[in-house]
Amino acid sequence: MIRLFATHRILLPVVSLAVLLAATFYMQPRAMSYFGVNLLFNLAVPIALATVAQMMIIMVNDIDLSLGAFVSLVACVTATFLHDTPVLGVAILAGLIVAYAGIGALIHRFDLPAIVVTLGMSFVWGGLAVMILPSPGGAAPTWLRSLMTVKPPLLPMAVVAAILIAGLTHLLIMRSGIGTVLRGVGGNATSVVRAGWPVLRLKAGAYGLAGFFGVLSGMALVGLTTAADANIALRYTLLSIAGVILGGGEFVGGRVSAVGAVIGALTLALAASFLSFMRLSPDWQIGAQGAILILVLTARLIFTRRDKEQS
């Protein structure tokens, strides 16, 4: 059992999600239905997309402290420009993705600490969001609202979307050639350079992918909430980091799991519902989510160490 959990890192986040889901159903049996599951994972899609975005950055040994502010900016653009002038809105969102790629190139070109650059960018994104939407408001485009509230026949939209996100991201990062090279940048950048790959472009590409998934996250969030706010997704920065690590990823070495990251995001989203069922004060819920994360990571560390001792 120890060898199994140590070798297959995906098992621990899967078990964690299953245990939390079982505990939620035990406390609230009425949640064991199509409508109930949809409510439990209602906001899981934007969190999962933000977690995948963070995974792209962690994959190349960086960390992004501006992601929450960036998703908030995207939400403001979606609820205003994309709703009122779709062509301009699409152009702005495309420009934000290019800007994200440029940040990655800048960090690599001048060997800047990503944690400092992205922290600074969080104020830039936040300031732009306030300029676009000084107070909560705006409206979700009709097509986006319809997409996010569609009701598939067997599983709720949130679950179907999570499966699609996990599957497509897994194919992109774990099965494609470019995904292997991107993970190689995080694992051994020197070897990638010796193989003739341009690390500058690869890192810009990783950041560009992060920007792309960040844009999808902000759009999905507006599709669910129908409005936006300059601070609507600030918590996503820490939630996305926690989701990647909870899903079996590591801060260095290019070791990430696309499926695990999505499961980690689902676990964090479910944890919020579970704590609400426990009637825990909102002031304590963030701390309780942190405790769940620490327990899972401690279990992973114990399994890894015991596996090494037995080997």
Side-chain angles (χ1 to χ4, degrees):
M1 180 66 70
I2 293 175
R3 175 63 59 85
L4 187 64
F5 275 92
T7 305
H8 303 283
R9 292 180 166 223
I10 191 66
L11 289 179
L12 193 56
V14 168
V15 171
S16 302
L17 178 61
V19 169
L20 195 57
L21 190 61
T24 302
F25 287 157
Y26 176 78
M27 294 188 62
Q28 188 58 261
R30 286 180 295 179
M32 200 183 307
S33 64
Y34 185 102
F35 181 72
V37 172
N38 190 52
L39 285 179
L40 290 177
F41 294 107
N42 187 39
L43 293 177
V45 174
I47 295 176
L49 289 167
T51 302
V52 170
Q54 187 71 250
M55 184 192 72
M56 299 298 174
I57 306 297
I58 292 178
M59 179 175 60
V60 292
N61 290 350
D62 287 346
I63 192 168
D64 186 1
L65 296 184
S66 69
L67 186 59
F70 180 77
V71 174
S72 297
L73 172 59
V74 171
C76 292
V77 172
T78 301
T80 53
F81 291 103
L82 193 61
H83 177 268
D84 301 329
T85 53
V87 175
L88 179 58
V90 170
I92 293 174
L93 294 178
L96 290 176
I97 296 175
V98 173
Y100 234 74
I103 292 171
L106 183 70
I107 288 173
H108 178 76
R109 175 65 180 81
F110 296 101
D111 196 23
L112 301 174
I115 192 171
V116 175
V117 175
T118 55
L119 178 61
M121 287 305 302
S122 68
F123 297 106
V124 175
W125 304 136
L128 291 173
V130 172
M131 289 176 59
I132 293 173
L133 205 60
S135 59
T142 304
W143 62 268
L144 182 60
R145 177 61 179 167
S146 300
L147 176 64
M148 296 307 300
T149 56
V150 68
K151 295 181 179 179
L154 298 178
L155 295 172
M157 178 57 183
V159 178
V160 172
I163 294 173
L164 289 175
I165 293 168
L168 294 175
T169 310
H170 177 78
L171 292 176
L172 174 64
I173 298 303
M174 308 304 292
R175 296 299 180 184
S176 70
I178 188 63
T180 302
V181 176
L182 286 173
R183 286 186 287 116
V185 172
N188 193 331
T190 303
S191 297
V192 173
V193 172
R194 289 175 179 172
W197 289 90
V199 176
L200 177 65
R201 293 181 183 178
L202 290 171
K203 208 153 191 178
Y207 273 77
L209 285 172
F212 173 72
F213 282 103
V215 165
L216 293 182
S217 175
M219 292 176 64
L221 183 58
V222 172
L224 291 170
T225 60
T226 70
D229 179 82
N231 302 314
I232 193 172
L234 292 185
R235 291 179 62 240
Y236 281 20
T237 297
L238 296 181
L239 283 176
S240 63
I241 296 172
V244 174
I245 303 305
L246 185 62
E250 295 185 4
F251 286 115
V252 294
R255 302 187 67 175
V256 294
S257 170
V259 176
V262 173
I263 293 176
L266 292 177
T267 302
L268 293 172
L270 181 60
S273 300
F274 174 72
L275 295 172
S276 297
F277 288 147
M278 291 183 65
R279 298 181 180 179
L280 195 65
S281 169
D283 297 331
W284 290 93
Q285 286 187 16
I286 296 177
Q289 285 180 317
I292 293 173
L293 176 63
I294 291 172
L295 287 174
V296 175
L297 295 183
T298 301
R300 190 172 82 184
L301 181 61
I302 291 173
F303 286 130
T304 303
R305 286 185 175 179
R306 288 189 177 180
D307 179 59
K308 289 180 179 180
E309 292 174 356
Q310 293 179 1
S311 301

